[in-house]
Amino acid sequence: MAQKEGGVAKKGHEEGMEMAIALLQEFGLPLGLLPLEDVIEVGFVRDTGYMWIVQKKKVEHNFKMIKKLVSYDTQITGFVDKNQIKKLKGIKAKELMLWPPVNEIIVDDPTTRKIHFKSLAGVTKTFPLMHLLLGSKN
């Protein structure tokens, strides 16, 4: 794939998770953002900010503090930049009976400590960042 050209990839769960966590830290994103399981590969192209994650199966995670069920597909892609991920694919958040895809994640500057999830449908949900960090497994 042309988007992966010039990228660095880590294979396997341990190395993939290390890379994913390092990217979240580097770009000011909360570490609890990607509750992944059985990671096959994580990659990143520094020149463009393109990142990809491949995991064995789809994962659903319940962020209890914000009462939000989120689905992580087997392939997740997006463009990472300071405090945000744009053109995100592979993540959906349950809203009533629907699963709209999350297209963009933005973390406000540290003073407000808010995180925003935007969908292509124009829906934006905002939560205190601390609630996302404290989210735990089902």
Side-chain angles (χ1 to χ4, degrees):
M1 181 180 237
Q3 286 180 310
K4 293 182 180 181
E5 200 170 299
V8 175
K10 298 290 182 182
K11 305 269 187 189
H13 185 75
E14 300 276 324
E15 286 190 18
M17 284 302 295
E18 282 178 23
M19 184 174 195
I21 289 168
L23 286 171
L24 291 173
Q25 286 177 324
E26 178 180 344
F27 291 101
L29 297 163
L31 298 183
L33 197 57
L34 298 172
L36 307 171
E37 296 177 12
D38 296 325
V39 171
I40 296 169
E41 180 179 280
V42 174
F44 180 64
V45 181
R46 188 152 302 277
D47 290 348
T48 62
Y50 181 76
M51 67 102 191
W52 68 93
I53 298 167
V54 181
Q55 55 184 353
K56 285 183 186 172
K57 62 182 181 2
K58 186 163 72 168
V59 173
E60 285 188 358
H61 182 82
N62 186 19
F63 290 96
K64 291 180 180 177
M65 295 288 287
I66 59 174
K67 296 179 175 81
K68 186 64 59 188
L69 186 61
V70 179
S71 171
Y72 297 83
D73 212 341
T74 55
Q75 293 197 32
I76 301 164
T77 62
F79 291 86
V80 184
D81 204 348
K82 184 75 176 145
N83 297 327
Q84 65 184 354
I85 305 174
K86 291 188 172 196
K87 297 183 182 176
L88 188 59
K89 290 184 171 61
I91 299 178
K92 297 177 181 176
K94 190 169 186 183
E95 289 293 329
L96 302 172
M97 302 291 283
L98 304 173
W99 286 89
V102 176
N103 184 48
E104 192 172 344
I105 299 171
I106 299 170
V107 176
D108 282 349
D109 65 87
T111 55
T112 60
R113 304 308 295 162
K114 301 268 188 201
I115 186 164
H116 310 275
F117 297 87
K118 297 181 178 184
S119 75
L120 287 173
V123 176
T124 299
K125 294 286 183 175
T126 301
F127 301 101
L129 194 52
M130 187 53 67
H131 286 172
L132 182 71
L133 297 175
L134 298 174
S136 60
K137 284 273 182 200
N138 296 349

